[in-house]
Amino acid sequence: MSNQLEKHISEKYNLLKPFLDEQSKRLFAGAEAISLGVGGISIVSRATGISRDTISKACKELESGTIGASGTSIPDGKIRAPGGGRKKSVDKDPTLKSDLESLIEPTSRGDPESPLRWTSKSVRNLAEELKKMGHKVTHARVADLLHILGYSLQANRKTIEGVSHPDRDKQFNHINENCKKFQEEHQPVISVDTKKKELVGNFKNEGRELRPKKDPINVSVYDFKDKELGKVNPYGVYDIANNEGWVNVGIDHDTASFAVESIRRWWNMMGCESYPEAKKLMITADCGGSNGYRVRLWKIELQKLADETGMEISVCHFPPGTSKWNKIEHRLFSHITLNWRGKPLTSYEVIVNLIAATTTSKGLKVKCMLDKNEYPKGIKMNKEQVEELGIIRDEFHGEWNYTFKPKKEEAA
């Protein structure tokens, strides 16, 4: 008889199970147990797989007419009383999230919103590291936390030709450590680069913005450069600590002189006010372009800037093929692109105003200026001129990491 009852209840439960939530399953089991009388809890438990304690709780709820532990009312649309269920790991262990971020921060290999993240540690390895730090956590919980923090699994994309430099990761660590030292001493750290050249004129700008229906902005069909307006070279300087940006919009050539002039203007317009006691300046830059580590004019112009400001200027270059890890790309340039999406860059004034109006929810502030100076190409600097500068090169990859000491003027 007992076996037949169990079979009957099991069949009924399996039919209803896909349509029942946690509370409904419990109450169904409780109702069946009450209807069976003595021994009903055991029979229903074997038939449904629901624990005896849960069924016993359901019986008490049905007999009392109140759903919830100790008569606690359950809000509409909920299946548990307030506070029910297991607590989240981050609630029980408030330092778990910050410790996970500390493991990833200096070594992540792709999150642009945090400086110098490049690691590829697996969730299992991260879980093991967290356990060593005293946390009780599984690799599955680490995966959930990483998702909350904005990480996801990313496939490789073929965009870089050649192989990565063998010391790439060590250089990232070197840059990260130097950044920390400068920031601890309240000395400025800036990320610099030239944004993509932009055509000036009534040309299509990718992206969309809200407008009345069937009323798009009409632009030129062909993107032929305007002979009078030409292109602009927005050179950016991003202050990492203060979350502030400076963009020098050049209308001539993107040369090393233009790059250093942009840094000079940032210092005179923003940097000297933010860091009145600064004695040192750290610059992180790509390894190529107008601020490349092989460009002699870049070094000569930086020495001039060091002499003018009286500051010691240290430069750290990102290894070849890693320009997207430069902080300015995702803290400044990406937001500028979002701000002017769908808007034709019809004039210099429009470009400057759109850049200067760029903000973010995290408090980014941007200033912008048009640079009408001429920067001729083809200026040759010989090796001897660079050697005379007395550049102090780091022991680790001195070609990527070097410092300029300001030269004191000789007494007349």
Side-chain angles (χ1 to χ4, degrees), residues 109 118 160 164-173 319-322 325 396-397 400:
R109 192 179 59 186
W118 51 265
I160 302 173
S164 298
H165 195 283
D167 288 335
R168 188 195 72 161
D169 292 353
K170 292 181 180 179
Q171 176 65 3
F172 280 136
N173 272 332
T322 62
W325 278 257
F396 178 75
H397 280 285
W400 291 342

Side-chain angles (χ1 to χ4, degrees), residues 48-66:
T48 62
I50 300 174
S51 71
R52 289 174 51 84
D53 289 342
T54 300
I55 298 173
S56 177
K57 175 184 175 182
C59 292
K60 293 177 182 178
E61 290 175 336
L62 292 170
E63 290 170 350
S64 66
T66 304

Side-chain angles (χ1 to χ4, degrees), residues 111-331:
D111 186 344
E113 283 299 314
S114 183
L116 319 173
R117 295 187 173 188
W118 51 265
T119 195
S120 56
K121 288 185 177 179
S122 68
V123 291
R124 294 181 185 275
N125 288 338
L126 288 170
E128 290 301 318
E129 292 293 330
L130 289 170
K131 289 177 182 178
K132 293 177 182 178
M133 298 170 71
H135 299 285
K136 294 181 179 180
V137 65
T138 64
H139 69 276
R141 182 59 57 204
V142 170
D144 291 340
L145 287 174
L146 289 174
H147 179 72
I148 293 172
L149 293 172
Y151 289 85
S152 64
L153 290 174
Q154 302 289 327
N156 294 336
R157 181 182 299 170
K158 291 185 178 181
T159 57
I160 302 173
E161 295 183 1
V163 296
S164 298
H165 195 283
D167 288 335
R168 188 195 72 161
D169 292 353
K170 292 181 180 179
Q171 176 65 3
F172 280 136
N173 272 332
H174 182 79
I175 296 173
N176 189 59
E177 292 302 319
N178 282 346
C179 283
K180 286 183 178 179
K181 289 178 183 178
F182 271 72
Q183 290 176 340
E184 287 171 358
E185 298 172 6
H186 303 290
Q187 301 297 313
V189 179
I190 59 174
S191 173
V192 303
D193 197 11
T194 306
K195 194 180 185 299
K196 181 177 72 71
K197 294 179 176 63
E198 300 288 349
L199 282 171
V200 185
N202 193 32
F203 304 114
K204 180 181 178 180
N205 198 0
E206 294 298 330
R208 297 180 295 177
E209 66 172 349
L210 291 172
R211 286 184 58 81
K213 288 184 177 181
K214 299 182 180 180
D215 185 26
I217 297 175
N218 296 318
V219 297
S220 300
V221 175
Y222 302 107
D223 294 342
F224 296 133
K225 184 171 69 172
D226 188 297
K227 292 182 179 179
E228 293 183 4
L229 297 176
K231 295 182 178 182
V232 293
N233 306 306
Y235 192 93
V237 178
Y238 178 69
D239 182 344
I240 296 175
N242 292 329
N243 193 25
E244 293 179 343
W246 167 266
V247 180
N248 191 38
V249 180
I251 61 176
D252 200 44
H253 302 297
D254 178 20
T255 67
S257 298
F258 168 65
V260 176
E261 175 61 21
S262 300
I263 298 172
R264 180 182 287 108
R265 291 188 177 199
W266 163 79
W267 175 252
N268 292 332
M269 298 294 292
M270 298 179 69
C272 62
E273 294 181 3
S274 300
Y275 304 94
E277 304 296 327
K279 297 181 180 178
K280 298 187 294 183
L281 169 66
M282 179 177 172
I283 301 173
T284 63
D286 296 346
C287 68
S290 58
N291 46 227
Y293 73 95
R294 292 178 177 173
V295 181
R296 293 171 183 170
L297 183 59
W298 160 255
K299 296 181 174 68
I300 290 173
E301 292 291 346
L302 279 178
Q303 182 64 65
K304 292 179 182 178
L305 181 60
D307 297 342
E308 292 172 18
T309 60
M311 288 191 301
E312 180 181 300
I313 299 178
S314 297
V315 182
C316 291
H317 290 277
F318 286 89
T322 62
S323 61
K324 293 302 179 183
W325 278 257
N326 199 346
K327 201 168 176 64
I328 194 172
E329 294 285 346
H330 303 282
R331 286 291 186 89

Side-chain angles (χ1 to χ4, degrees), residues 337-351:
T337 301
L338 285 174
N339 190 58
W340 69 22
R341 68 185 185 276
K343 298 182 178 71
L345 308 177
T346 54
S347 67
Y348 299 142
E349 182 182 9
V350 168
I351 292 172

